[in-house]
Amino acid sequence: MGRRRQPVTEYQLSLFLGDGRAAACLSEEGTGGTGAVSAEEPQAPTAWSGKRALTQDLMERTCDPKNLNRAYKKVKANGGAPGVDGRSVTDLRGWLAEHKEELIEALLMGSYQPQPVREVEIPKPGGGKRQLGIPTVLDRLVQQAILQVLEPLLDPTFSESSYGFRPGRGAYQALRQAQDSVASGREIVVDIDLEKFFDRVNHDVMMSRLARHIGDKRLLRIIRRFLEAGILRQGVCVQRYEGTPQGGPLSPLLANLLLDDLDRELEHRGHCFCRYADDCNIYVRSAAAGQRVMASVTAFLEARLRLRVNRGKSAIARVEERQFLGYRLLPGGHLRIAPESLRRVKERVKRTTRRNRGLSLQRMIQDLNEYLPGWATYFRWATRDRPFRHLDAWIRRRLRCVRLKQRKRSYSIARFLQSLGVPTRQAWLLARSGKGWWRKSGSPQASEAMTNQWFRNQGLLSLTDKIAALRH
C-alpha cells in the first residue's frame, strides 16, 4: 500500500505519442506535396537516382511521434532566448498541446512557413561582431526534428578530415590529425579564412547540394524557406538572399554539407588538411607549394561555391606562426597554448577579479572555479606545464590584490597580515607603504600571508593540479 506515485516531469510527458495523424496519410491534396515547385521557390533540377528515391519519405520520418518528442526534449534542454514571437521554451509545451495536429499537417503537406529570425550580435574574440539569428522556439523544434533525420543520412558521407559539429568528433581529433601532418614534415600551413562564411552561403548552391541526397521535395521546400526567412533587425524585417545565420540547429549540418565539396577537392588533389567548421588548414612542405595551393583553392571556393576568402586574414606561414583551435603547433607536431588563447583567459580573469565589482573574495573564487576547469580541460593536450604554473601564480596575485584593497586602511591590512603569520614589523611596513595595490600584492609579505595552501583552503582551483589530474 503504499508506494507514492512519482510526479510526472515534462520530459516524461509524450507530446506527440498516440497521435495517429503523425504518420498517417493525408488527403489526396497533401500526399504528393512533391509536385512541381513554384516559381518563388526554384529547386535545382536533378535526375532521380536510386539513392535519392529512398529519401522521398523524409517528412514522414521527421513527423514520426518519437522523433518529434526527441526534438522537443532537445530544444527544452538547450533552452535559449525567445525568437521574434517572444515565446519562450517553457511556453512551447502549451502551444504544442493545442496545435500539434496543425503543425504535423503543415509539415507533411510541405506548407510549413518559418518565421523571421531575431538578429543578435555578439563580440568576436579577435574583434568585431558575430551575427546570430535566433529562430522562434517552434522553428527550433522543426529544425531539430529535421536534423535528427538528416544527420544520420548525410554525416557518413562527409570527409574523414572534417571534424567540426559532427557526432563523435571534436577538436582533439582535429588536432591529432594536424599533429600527424606536421610530424610528417609538412611544416608550412595554408591557413584559409572564409569571410563571413555563415552570412555568405549561396542559397542556390546549398539547395543543389541538398538535392543530391534528398528526394523529398516537401523537405527541400521547407529547408529553403528556413534559408530565406527574413531577419528582424531593429524592428524591421529584412529579406535575406544569402547566408544561413548561426543560431539554428540546422546551420552546422548545412555548413558541413556545403564545405564537403572543398574537402573532396582537397582529397582529390592529395593534400594533407584538417577542417573544423569553416576553419581549414592545409599542410605542405614548402612556401612555393603553399602559394600554389592558396591560389587554386581560393579560385575553387569563389567560383564553385561562391564563397569569399578573406585575403587579409588568410596566410601561408610556418606552423608555429599560426594558431589552430586555440593551440599553436610546433615542428614535430608538438602542441602549445597559442598566445591569443592566453591573452583571452587573462582578459576573462581580469573581468572576474576587478576590484570595483563589489564582490567578496569567495564569490570571485566561485566565479573563477566555474570557468577555469573547462579551460584547463580543453588545453590539457599542451605539452608544456609552464603556462599553467604562470597563470596560477598570476591569478593568485590578482586575488591578493583584491583582498588587500578590501581591507582598505593600514590598521586593517596590518591586522590581517599578522593574523596569517606575518611578523608585526613586516606587516606594518607593507600596510603603510605608499606603493600601489598591484605592487603590494607582489610583496613578500602578501605571499607569506596568502600562500598557495591558503588559496586551496579558500577553494580556489589550481590549474596545475587540474592538469596533473587530467593526465593521470
Side-chain angles (χ1 to χ4, degrees), residues 119-121 124 129-133 194-203 227 231 233 240-247 251 255 258 278 306-308:
E119 183 183 59
V120 175
E121 289 186 340
K124 296 173 69 173
K129 298 285 186 178
R130 174 176 287 115
Q131 184 189 78
L132 299 182
L194 295 175
E195 182 179 343
K196 296 183 178 179
F197 168 70
F198 285 92
D199 300 333
R200 303 292 188 194
V201 170
N202 183 280
H203 292 169
L227 291 174
I231 299 178
R233 181 176 295 158
R240 188 168 76 236
Y241 299 100
E242 63 178 0
T244 169
Q246 301 177 72
S251 293
L258 182 64
D278 58 337
R306 302 184 193 178
L307 297 172
R308 300 179 190 175

Side-chain angles (χ1 to χ4, degrees), residues 259-426:
L259 290 175
D260 191 59
D261 275 22
L262 171 63
D263 299 340
R264 298 306 178 188
E265 180 68 16
L266 294 175
E267 288 175 347
H268 178 71
R269 299 180 186 184
H271 289 305
C272 289
F273 72 98
C274 186
R275 183 176 66 79
Y276 193 94
D278 58 337
D279 194 354
C280 183
N281 280 4
I282 307 167
Y283 299 96
V284 296
R285 296 183 185 276
S286 68
Q291 295 286 352
R292 293 193 299 270
V293 170
M294 176 67 83
S296 61
V297 171
T298 298
F300 174 85
L301 286 167
E302 295 182 349
R304 183 77 66 85
L305 301 182
R306 302 184 193 178
L307 297 172
R308 300 179 190 175
V309 173
N310 189 327
R311 289 169 170 78
K313 292 184 177 180
S314 299
I316 302 153
R318 293 193 60 81
V319 289
E320 63 267 27
E321 297 172 11
R322 306 293 290 180
Q323 67 171 10
F324 182 53
L325 300 178
Y327 282 86
R328 183 164 62 105
L329 280 159
L330 299 183
H334 303 292
L335 288 176
R336 299 284 191 272
I337 302 175
E340 181 66 14
S341 300
L342 291 171
R343 185 190 68 79
R344 289 178 194 168
V345 70
K346 285 191 171 185
E347 285 297 323
R348 177 69 176 264
V349 172
K350 283 180 180 179
R351 291 197 301 270
T352 303
T353 58
R354 283 200 310 267
R355 299 191 296 275
N356 60 359
R357 288 186 71 197
L359 298 179
S360 67
L361 185 73
Q362 285 298 328
R363 177 58 190 274
M364 288 186 180
I365 289 175
Q366 180 182 341
D367 291 347
L368 288 172
N369 286 348
E370 291 176 0
Y371 171 70
L372 293 176
W375 188 88
T377 300
Y378 182 79
F379 287 104
R380 68 188 183 278
W381 308 113
T383 52
R384 292 185 68 184
D385 293 339
R386 183 181 298 175
F388 300 106
R389 293 196 299 271
H390 286 180
L391 268 176
D392 272 336
W394 180 78
I395 291 170
R396 288 192 295 266
R397 183 172 178 181
R398 291 280 306 180
L399 293 174
R400 289 186 186 109
C401 188
V402 169
R403 193 71 184 100
L404 289 174
K405 188 175 183 182
Q406 286 176 344
R407 307 304 296 186
K408 295 183 179 179
R409 299 183 180 278
S410 298
Y411 177 77
S412 181
I413 294 173
R415 290 294 300 271
F416 171 69
L417 294 174
Q418 290 176 72
S419 71
L420 294 175
V422 178
T424 302
R425 182 173 180 277
Q426 297 300 319

Side-chain angles (χ1 to χ4, degrees), residues 193-228:
D193 184 273
L194 295 175
E195 182 179 343
K196 296 183 178 179
F197 168 70
F198 285 92
D199 300 333
R200 303 292 188 194
V201 170
N202 183 280
H203 292 169
D204 291 332
V205 175
M206 175 64 76
M207 293 309 299
S208 70
R209 301 310 185 263
L210 280 166
R212 294 174 181 175
H213 303 274
I214 298 174
D216 193 325
K217 292 184 180 178
R218 297 166 296 174
L219 182 56
L220 290 173
R221 284 201 293 271
I222 290 175
I223 292 177
R224 181 155 198 133
R225 290 186 193 126
F226 274 119
L227 291 174
E228 295 178 345

